[in-house]
Amino acid sequence: MGPRTRLARLLPAALIATSTLLGACGGDEASPTLRDTTLGPLQGVDNSASSGTYAWKGVPYAKPPVGALRWKAPVDPDAWTGTIRPATQFGNACVQYGRIYGPGANNRYDETIGTTLNQTVGSEDCLYLNIWRPASDERQLPVIVFIHGGSNVSGYTADPVYDGATLAKTANAVVVSVNYRLGIFGWLNLPQLKDGSSAADDSGNFATLDTIKALQFVNRNIGAFGGDAGNVTVMGQSAGAINVFALLTSPLMANANPKLMHRAVPMSGGFSLATNLPAGSIPTLNPASTALAQGTALLNNLLIADGLATDNASAAAYLATQSKAQVAAYLRGKSPSVLLTTLLTKLAALGLSGSGPIPEGTVVPVDPVAAINAGQYLKVPLIASNTRDEAKLFPTFLALAPVLGGVSGRLVSDATLFANHYSYNPNAAPTTTLAQWIPAQYLPVNTPGTGFNAKTDLLNTIFFIASRNNIMAALKSQQANLWYFRFDWDEEPAPWNDIYGAAHAFDLPFVFGNFGPSLFGNVANSSANQAGRLALSDAMMRTLGAFARTGDPNNAALGVTWPAWPSQLLFDASATTKTISVQ
């Protein structure tokens, strides 16, 4: 039974006459948010009166990766028949440990984020995506797929910053956001989980495969929402940018037919191994051996906790008596809470609590930058970016080395930070001081060489900028349609303009046009800076729309011509007006 036939059987008689629209742009006058997919019909939400958009939330693009499907490549979901599936609520956040970036206990931005820090939140049943489009009948709209950040260990599409309505309306595009498995549920390198039956399963890159599966869903179905499956821009920020680079360099994507990705916007990310970078740099990608050390440590510590071993040596001896299937069953029998507690209490002390794409050679190249230099990647028009003060979001990293200061650049705990930001009034007189947040050795912040600005600039140079220079040089050797912008906005009310400035992730509200409640919303968005930031946000969204539509970001909203890399466009604003320039 075809999708349109299936939908017709479910529709009331009054709608059947116009059901042909549902297979193309979708909808009709009676129900503009009823759309058909290859899996079954979806009923979305009509927000035309409030935001000028339609939305479909919590759309499954893979089976829940639970039970035997934990640590397996994603599998297409079962079709739903005999019913119209509601698509009105965000799907579960993927299981993770609580961080200040959310989601807390309720899959939304609320006060529970502050009470669930380092506790297990989210669900393993989480492979859902969301779709927004303008409330119009226009078809063949460009598609923008967003991959969220969160160090690849946290994050969720229900974060209010990621709501796609304003971007969809302003850019005149279909916007899609994707949940994907996180942390050790998304990437795990362990021999006992590799049974040889599937190269994808054995890769350990389950979350990378999730994003590919989501793009396959988009390719098959976005036409029903008015999107052009032949014009898909994939955008990601931070860890999401790392995941965009993983897609660009994946042989699975480079060889995909039909093509799943036609433009890329990696924001504030990189994809370089330590061996690609100058000495002393902080890599944005670890070798497969690091992931193997993590998987081994996880398994050994679980065995020790269960009394099956007393140390690594006896754990290895015990494992020698077990089949791969037995060990895999043992691991799949562990609750997310047990796994994440082991990660935080045992692996973190070993420096093995991070996650991300595993360069194992099948899903992700062993050396992605070398693959780009060899022309073995998906060549598409690309915009990369950074914020000017990336490292001000990571002041604890100043403790990593004496040259950075050797002491954390933040005095308050995560719990204190969240409580402060959640209730802060940006329009009142300041209720905190620099000295309460930044250690005295980094003050005044503008002291040459030793101040907070100088030390975070140095951290930015060896971390974000080193990887940027490395991968942009590789890309530039292969293609000319490459652009770069820097986000410079730092108009927060004092003292946050010095504490954060143009910090990592502070560009996201501008890209999505969302300045409502969020982690940094109350310390950044004042009535005094509203006019300037709204003007800058509008220009950024229109620029993204132009790029998604044509593969070139130049448009009238910029007010300047944006040359290709190595030129840089600077997105900035005063309190009242946008100030966009080129250097």
Side-chain angles (χ1 to χ4, degrees):
M1 184 188 302
R4 193 171 301 166
T5 303
R6 179 175 58 247
L7 180 57
R9 290 182 58 181
L10 298 172
L11 288 170
L15 298 184
I16 292 176
T18 54
S19 66
T20 54
L21 292 174
L22 294 161
C25 182
D28 60 26
E29 292 181 1
S31 185
T33 61
L34 183 60
R35 307 292 170 107
D36 201 17
T37 73
T38 56
L39 298 167
L42 293 170
Q43 181 69 66
V45 182
D46 183 349
N47 293 318
S48 56
S50 56
S51 67
T53 61
Y54 304 138
W56 297 263
K57 300 176 181 178
V59 180
Y61 69 86
K63 283 185 179 179
V66 300
L69 293 181
R70 180 195 278 179
W71 297 311
K72 291 284 189 180
V75 177
D76 285 333
D78 294 329
W80 50 91
T81 57
T83 185
I84 296 173
R85 182 185 178 100
T88 60
Q89 301 290 332
F90 289 107
N92 301 320
C94 286
V95 68
Q96 58 196 277
Y97 60 88
R99 299 174 78 212
I100 55 176
Y101 309 103
N106 299 312
N107 198 35
R108 65 174 184 260
Y109 177 77
D110 64 17
E111 66 279 359
T112 66
I113 294 172
T115 62
T116 54
L117 297 175
N118 293 322
Q119 299 178 24
T120 300
V121 295
S123 170
E124 286 189 85
D125 176 3
C126 66
L127 298 186
Y128 300 91
L129 54 78
N130 316 290
I131 304 167
W132 293 263
R133 65 149 292 143
S136 70
D137 294 329
E138 191 170 351
R139 305 183 186 185
Q140 295 298 105
L141 293 171
V143 181
I144 301 170
V145 177
F146 179 70
I147 303 175
H148 69 74
S151 301
N152 274 324
V153 299
S154 65
Y156 63 123
T157 60
D159 186 317
V161 173
Y162 303 149
D163 187 282
T166 304
L167 177 58
K169 178 66 173 177
T170 307
N172 198 32
V174 178
V175 174
V176 180
S177 63
V178 179
N179 272 353
Y180 57 96
R181 281 174 278 185
L182 298 165
I184 53 176
F185 298 92
W187 295 274
L188 192 63
N189 187 2
L190 199 58
Q192 288 85 355
L193 292 175
K194 303 176 183 182
D195 61 13
S197 61
S198 163
D201 289 343
D202 289 355
S203 73
N205 279 302
F206 312 110
T208 304
L209 293 165
D210 289 344
T211 58
I212 295 174
K213 179 64 73 175
L215 291 175
Q216 290 170 341
F217 178 93
V218 168
N219 179 265
R220 296 167 186 159
N221 293 288
I222 208 64
F225 302 88
D228 180 359
N231 187 7
V232 176
T233 297
V234 182
M235 175 174 68
Q237 186 269 345
S238 190
I242 290 173
N243 297 332
V244 171
F245 282 124
L247 291 171
L248 283 171
T249 57
S250 173
L252 302 184
M253 289 291 290
N255 300 319
N257 186 17
K259 191 174 181 179
L260 301 175
M261 175 180 181
H262 309 88
R263 324 202 189 292
V265 185
M267 302 165 55
S268 295
F271 211 48
S272 299
L273 296 159
T275 52
N276 301 132
L277 301 172
S281 302
I282 300 173
T284 42
L285 179 68
N286 289 316
S289 58
T290 300
L292 178 60
Q294 179 191 57
T296 301
L298 176 68
L299 179 54
N300 288 354
N301 276 283
L302 291 169
L303 294 172
I304 292 168
D306 285 343
L308 298 172
T310 56
D311 55 22
N312 289 339
S314 59
Y318 172 80
L319 290 170
T321 70
Q322 302 294 299
S323 68
K324 285 186 174 182
Q326 287 174 312
V327 176
Y330 169 77
L331 285 169
R332 291 190 173 102
K334 295 297 181 185
S335 69
S337 181
V338 166
L339 292 166
L340 291 174
T341 298
T342 303
L343 180 88
L344 293 175
T345 61
K346 302 297 182 180
L347 273 62
L350 303 173
L352 295 173
S353 60
S355 283
I358 301 170
E360 38 63 62
T362 299
V363 175
V364 178
V366 172
D367 185 336
V369 171
I372 293 173
N373 277 316
Q376 298 171 350
Y377 72 106
L378 183 60
K379 293 182 185 179
V380 296
L382 182 143
I383 299 174
S385 71
N386 289 99
T387 66
R388 187 193 63 209
D389 306 322
E390 297 274 17
K392 286 190 175 180
L393 196 71
F394 309 101
T396 59
F397 284 20
L398 298 184
L400 291 175
V403 70
L404 294 172
V407 173
S408 171
R410 197 180 81 191
L411 293 171
V412 305
S413 67
D414 280 356
T416 299
L417 183 153
F418 182 82
N420 171 279
H421 288 20
Y422 191 76
S423 59
Y424 202 82
N425 181 358
N427 297 312
T431 57
T432 189
T433 66
L434 285 174
Q436 292 173 306
W437 287 75
I438 298 175
Q441 76 177 65
Y442 300 122
L443 297 176
V445 296
N446 57 357
T447 303
T450 61
F452 187 65
N453 290 351
K455 292 304 185 183
T456 52
D457 280 348
L458 178 58
L459 175 57
N460 189 32
T461 298
I462 65 175
F463 188 7
F464 288 92
I465 302 306
S467 275
R468 178 204 70 180
N469 291 344
N470 177 243
I471 202 161
M472 292 295 275
L475 289 165
K476 191 65 175 179
S477 74
Q478 301 294 319
Q479 62 183 89
N481 47 357
L482 195 63
W483 291 268
Y484 177 85
F485 74 81
R486 193 180 77 189
F487 178 81
D488 282 15
W489 185 87
D490 60 358
E491 294 293 319
E492 302 98 334
W496 309 109
N497 57 324
D498 285 324
I499 293 171
Y500 292 123
H504 188 74
F506 274 57
D507 50 349
L508 283 169
F510 291 78
V511 169
F512 281 96
N514 294 327
F515 295 99
S518 66
L519 177 60
F520 301 110
N522 284 343
V523 301
N525 306 325
S526 66
S527 56
N529 64 35
Q530 181 177 18
R533 61 180 158 81
L534 290 181
L536 179 59
S537 173
D538 182 76
M540 293 178 72
M541 289 187 287
R542 292 184 188 282
T543 299
L544 182 58
F547 179 71
R549 190 165 294 103
T550 69
D552 187 323
N554 281 284
N555 73 105
L558 290 174
V560 297
T561 298
W562 184 355
W565 169 265
S567 294
Q568 301 183 31
L569 187 83
L570 307 184
F571 278 123
D572 200 357
S574 68
T576 57
T577 59
K578 66 184 181 185
T579 55
I580 301 171
S581 60
V582 174
Q583 72 173 29

